[in-house]
């Protein structure tokens, strides 16, 4: 596979042309009477026309045929995609899933779209307010099929197997320990090379942003220059029998046929694009004196709500780092939260639960549901000699956190057959260490 090229920067105004057609971008205007190379001009708007410049998102695409060239959409089988948050009764318990099973290609060929499974979510698509968490389980590439989402943005976290993603803006190769964001309305198709699994955070009506840094200053966390945008690439390909365009609209799946590949954009410019990011580039900030910093310090991307400081969804990671806090219980603290916390594991072992929480699985701690380190972690960390130590080497856990109270789907609770019914038992061995007659019991240090 040839090395792919990218443009660097988050949210930048970019311009790109396929080198096979130099000077394909119009000069000095967006929509000339006749475009270079007799292309069609098409604008893709990711925000209202009248949004402030700081939040206005749009790109101009110069393509062989406009995207309107298709047959009517018709409803198709929904598979395990849903936005029905009332399928089953609410469950406030701590939930943990074993690694979700990937179907064998020898039994059933499953591509990215047919392998989408909605795990949980909240809110309302029609009012552009909410989110969903999906699991994708696939074993074959999308052939003469593409997908686009009218409902929101997809933040895709591959866990097993790399993804070659064709988009209208160009191609991206996304491997485990990288993420990508395919924003609302962008058509894409995914090639896979083995049995493949991953997680998706979908947000309705808003876009992901870099978190504000406040007193951290101008640099830190996910730096803008490390986000990569594909460069223009096109194919002028007729498809005998028809190319299938699949659309998720108001939570339902629809399909339309057309005669050509949708990846026919010869040039583009704008600030509304897909992008990818390597999690190894995250600049970690941590407590260096005492106490455990709140996990918000590890936020990569945020999708803000209308309330200041409150997110529809945050994407947070727990990367390799140094632990040096003195006189401190260093693992994550015991917690009850007004937010909902879904955690996944890309690789390695999560520091607060060395067993049971496995790559390709997940956990959900719902609004005000207590959670924290298991009994074994507590005992070890309470007695450990506090020296500078590496934490989470070879590991990458992450969290999708939301201010909304998420409901779990029937697939998540029952059909997936992945729910760990014994999760609660990891806290059962916790015992009282209360010493009512000794305020300062002897510690390990």
């Amino acid at each position: 596979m040839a090395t792919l090229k990218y443009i660097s920067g988050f949210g930048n105004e970019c311009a790109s042309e396929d080198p096979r057609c130099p000077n394909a971008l119009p000069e000095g205007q967006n929509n000339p009477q006749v475009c270079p190379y007799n292309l069609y001009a098409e604008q893709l708007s990711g925000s209202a026309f009248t949004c402030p410049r700081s939040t206005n998102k749009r790109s101009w695409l110069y393509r062989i045929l406009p995207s309107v060239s298709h047959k009517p959409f018709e409803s198709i089988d929904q598979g395990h995609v849903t936005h029905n948050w009332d399928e089953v009764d609410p469950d406030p318990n701590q939930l943990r899933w074993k690694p979700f099973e990937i179907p064998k290609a020898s039994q059933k060929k499953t591509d990215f779209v047919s392998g989408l499974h909605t795990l949980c979510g909240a809110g309302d698509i029609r009012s552009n307010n909410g989110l969903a968490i999906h699991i994708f389980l696939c074993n074959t590439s999308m052939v003469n099929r593409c997908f686009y989402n009218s409902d929101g943005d997809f933040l895709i976290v591959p866990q097993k197997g790399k993804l070659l993603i064709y988009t209208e803006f160009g191609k991206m190769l996304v491997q485990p320990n990288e993420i990508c964001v395919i924003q609302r309305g962008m058509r894409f198709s995914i090639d896979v090379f083995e049995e493949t699994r991953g997680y998706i955070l979908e947000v309705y009506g808003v876009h992901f942003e870099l978190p504000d840094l406040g007193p951290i200053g101008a640099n830190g966390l996910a730096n803008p220059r490390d986000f990569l945008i594909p460069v223009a690439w096109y194919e002028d390909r007729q498809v005998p029998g028809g190319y299938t365009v699949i659309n998720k609209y108001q939570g339902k799946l629809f399909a339309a046929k057309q005669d050509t590949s949708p990846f026919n954009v010869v040039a583009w410019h704008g600030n509304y694009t897909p992008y990818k990011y390597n999690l190894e580039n995250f600049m970690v900030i941590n407590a260096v004196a005492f106490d455990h910093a709140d996990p918000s310090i590890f936020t990569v991307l945020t999708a803000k709500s209308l309330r200041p400081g409150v997110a529809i969804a945050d994407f947070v990671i727990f990367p390799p780092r140094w632990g040096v806090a003195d006189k401190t219980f260093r693992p994550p603290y015991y917690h009850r939260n007004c937010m909902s916390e879904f955690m996944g594991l890309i690789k390695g072992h999560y520091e607060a639960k060395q067993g049971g929480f496995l790559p390709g699985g997940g956990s959900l701690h719902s609004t005000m549901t207590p959670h924290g380190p298991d009994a074994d972690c507590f005992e070890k960390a309470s007695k450990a000699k506090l020296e500078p130590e590496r934490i989470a080497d070879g590991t990458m856990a992450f969290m999708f956190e939301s201010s909304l109270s998420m409901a779990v789907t029937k697939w998540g609770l029952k059909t997936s057959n992945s729910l760990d019914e014994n999760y609660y038992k990891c806290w059962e061995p916790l015992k009282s260490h209360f010493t009512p007659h000794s305020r300062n019991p002897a510690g390990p240090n």
Side-chain angles (χ1 to χ4, degrees), residues 348-371:
H349 303 277
Y350 180 53
E351 60 199 272
K353 294 182 180 68
Q354 291 289 325
F357 183 56
L358 301 174
S363 68
L364 176 64
H365 301 139
S366 297
T367 303
M368 293 302 174
T369 294
H371 53 280

Side-chain angles (χ1 to χ4, degrees), residues 202-215:
E202 178 185 14
V203 293
Y204 310 146
V206 292
H207 299 296
F208 289 102
E209 307 172 33
L210 294 174
D212 296 325
L213 295 181

Side-chain angles (χ1 to χ4, degrees), residues 153-156 172 179-183 208 273-275 301:
D153 292 7
F154 269 4
L155 188 158
I156 301 174
M172 299 187 295
I179 63 165
C180 71
V181 173
I182 310 289
Q183 303 196 75
F208 289 102
T273 68
Y275 54 88
L301 292 168

Side-chain angles (χ1 to χ4, degrees), residues 107-254:
Q107 297 173 345
K108 182 181 180 181
K109 288 191 174 182
T110 305
D111 68 13
F112 175 82
V113 175
S114 55
L116 284 173
H117 300 75
T118 307
L119 184 68
C120 56
D124 179 63
I125 290 174
R126 294 179 184 178
S127 61
N128 285 327
N129 181 55
L131 80 161
I133 294 172
H134 311 277
I135 306 296
F136 65 90
L137 307 165
C138 53
N139 54 40
T140 193
S141 299
M142 297 172 66
V143 179
N144 292 331
R145 282 158 55 97
C146 74
F147 179 84
Y148 74 99
N149 187 358
S150 294
D151 299 331
D153 292 7
F154 269 4
L155 188 158
I156 301 174
V157 184
Q159 183 273 319
K160 182 181 185 297
K162 61 187 177 183
L163 310 176
L164 178 59
I165 305 179
Y166 297 79
T167 79
E168 295 171 280
F169 295 79
K171 295 184 283 187
M172 299 187 295
L173 182 65
V174 185
Q175 307 194 55
N177 225 42
E178 296 183 314
I179 63 165
C180 71
V181 173
I182 310 289
Q183 303 196 75
R184 190 178 186 183
M186 298 176 181
R187 297 181 176 188
F188 66 95
S189 182
I190 294 183
D191 281 358
V192 300
F193 306 90
E194 58 180 294
E195 293 177 355
T196 302
R197 175 173 56 209
Y199 312 83
I200 299 173
L201 172 59
E202 178 185 14
V203 293
Y204 310 146
V206 292
H207 299 296
F208 289 102
E209 307 172 33
L210 294 174
D212 296 325
L213 295 181
I216 292 173
N219 307 286
L221 309 188
N223 288 310
R225 65 176 293 200
D226 293 323
F227 289 82
L228 300 178
I229 300 164
V231 297
W233 172 87
Y234 76 90
E235 59 178 5
D236 184 9
R237 182 166 66 92
Q238 302 292 314
V239 182
Y243 193 104
T244 303
V245 178
I246 302 169
N247 177 21
K248 189 170 85 67
Y249 174 74
Q250 294 189 11
K252 300 290 187 179
L253 297 182
F254 299 84

